[in-house]
Amino acid sequence: MRIWSIANQKGGVGKTTTVVSLGGLLASQGKRVLLVDLDPHGSLTSYFGQDPDSLDRSLYHLFFEQRHKDKSFIQSVLKPTSLNNVALLPATTSLATLERQVSGQEGMGLVLARSLAQLWEEYDHVLLDTPPILGVLLVNALAACQRLVIPTQTEHLALKGLERMVHTLRMVMRSQNRSLPYTIVPTLFDRRTGASLTTLKEMRRNYQDALWEEAIPVDTRLRDASHEGVFPHQLDAGGRGVRAYRHLLASLEQAAAAEGGG
C-alpha cells in the first residue's frame, strides 16, 4: 500500500482537487483507493455529499476509540464515493477541537499510521488531504505517509506557504529521524498572467530538485466536477486539468517505483 500526503500550510492551493483527481485516476487503473480527510473544514468530505457537521463517525473517533486497532471499526467509519473502488474516511468539524483534547498525550502522532496498518491488504493507495496548519493532524499525515505532495498555487503569496511547508517537513523529519521524499506541484497555473509565469520561474530557481517539471493549469471543469460530486476524469476525461493530473500521477508512480514502492 502506498500512502501519499497532499499538504501545504496555505489554503486554496488545490489540495483537495489534487487528492480527488489523483485518486480517481488511480481507480481508473483498477486500483483500490482510500481517501482520508484530515481537515476540520471537511472539503473532501463535502465533495462527496457528506455533511461534516452531522456524521456520527469520522476520522475524529479514531483518536478516542480504543478499537482504532480493529479493522471492522475503521471500516464502519468509511463512506462511499462515486466509484466503487474508492472509499472515503471522512472528517467532521469536531476535528477542530482535537489539538486541545489530545495535547500532552503520548502516541497521538501515530494514530493514523496505526489505523491504516489495519487496512494494509484492503487498499493499494491511500491519499491524505491535510489541514493548512501544523498540529497533530498534519503530524499524523507526515508520520503515516511515504511521500509528500505539496500543491502550490502559482501566485507570489503562495511561496510563503511553500517555504513554511518545507521548513515543517524538515523539522518533522529531524524529530522522527527519517527521510520523506516530496514533490512540489505548481497549481492554478495561467500562462496568460505575469504572476503565474514569474512565480513558476521562482519555484524553478529555488526548488529545482523537488519541483515537478509541469504545472496544473486553471481549468473550470475541475470545479464543475466538485459541484457534481464526481471525480474529474468522470466528467471530462480529456480535459486539460485531468491530462495534467494524469502526467503528475505517472511522475509520482515512476518516483515511487524507483524508491522501491514509497
Side-chain angles (χ1 to χ4, degrees):
M1 184 165 75
R2 290 178 180 168
I3 306 174
W4 296 340
S5 286
I6 288 72
N8 193 317
Q9 287 179 258
K10 183 183 184 304
V13 298
K15 293 192 300 292
T16 300
T17 298
T18 298
V19 168
V20 172
S21 297
L22 292 177
L25 290 171
L26 284 164
S28 72
Q29 298 174 359
K31 303 291 176 56
R32 300 165 301 167
V33 181
L34 176 63
L35 309 181
V36 181
D37 193 351
L38 290 105
D39 192 340
H41 289 108
S43 295
L44 181 62
T45 301
S46 298
Y47 191 109
F48 293 108
Q50 303 292 333
D51 183 1
D53 291 319
S54 64
L55 291 172
D56 58 352
R57 283 185 176 180
S58 73
L59 174 79
Y60 172 83
H61 297 90
L62 297 186
F63 286 84
F64 302 103
E65 173 57 63
Q66 290 301 309
R67 289 177 292 165
H68 73 259
K69 297 179 181 179
D70 182 81
K71 182 164 66 173
S72 63
F73 175 76
I74 301 169
Q75 289 175 324
S76 75
V77 181
L78 303 183
K79 299 294 182 182
T81 69
S82 57
L83 288 174
N84 290 333
N85 53 335
V86 184
L88 169 70
L89 178 52
T92 48
T93 49
S94 52
L95 280 173
T97 68
L98 188 64
E99 196 75 33
R100 173 171 47 82
Q101 291 178 280
V102 304
S103 178
Q105 297 184 36
E106 289 189 13
M108 287 296 105
L110 296 173
V111 169
L112 181 60
R114 290 167 178 162
S115 297
L116 292 178
Q118 303 306 309
L119 303 176
W120 202 262
E121 300 300 325
E122 308 295 321
Y123 295 97
D124 302 302
H125 283 262
V126 179
L127 303 180
L128 312 177
D129 193 6
T130 64
I133 56 173
L134 176 59
V136 67
L137 290 165
L138 183 54
V139 168
N140 264 269
L142 295 179
C145 74
Q146 300 142 347
R147 171 169 290 276
L148 176 64
V149 177
I150 310 177
T152 304
Q153 183 180 1
T154 48
E155 187 267 333
H156 183 70
L157 292 178
L159 293 177
K160 291 302 294 183
L162 174 58
E163 185 179 326
R164 286 194 299 272
M165 188 66 240
V166 172
H167 174 74
T168 295
L169 174 61
R170 289 169 178 165
M171 181 175 63
V172 170
M173 285 194 297
R174 283 196 301 270
S175 68
Q176 296 179 351
N177 193 29
R178 65 184 288 235
S179 176
L180 181 61
Y182 65 97
T183 302
I184 299 166
V185 179
T187 59
L188 297 168
F189 179 69
D190 187 347
R191 65 176 62 256
R192 299 169 299 179
T193 68
S196 273
L197 293 169
T198 301
T199 304
L200 185 58
K201 186 179 296 184
E202 192 167 345
M203 285 183 189
R204 287 172 173 163
R205 182 170 62 247
N206 295 331
Y207 301 99
Q208 183 176 6
D209 291 344
L211 187 69
W212 180 47
E213 60 187 12
E214 299 182 46
I216 305 297
V218 171
D219 184 355
T220 58
R221 297 296 277 168
L222 297 175
R223 190 184 311 122
D224 293 342
S226 70
H227 290 161
E228 297 288 336
V230 299
F231 292 90
H233 80 278
Q234 290 180 294
L235 185 68
D236 188 2
R240 59 182 180 173
V242 172
R243 290 200 309 271
Y245 275 114
R246 192 173 282 116
H247 294 169
L248 173 61
L249 178 58
S251 176
L252 294 172
E253 289 185 309
Q254 184 178 20
E259 292 156 6

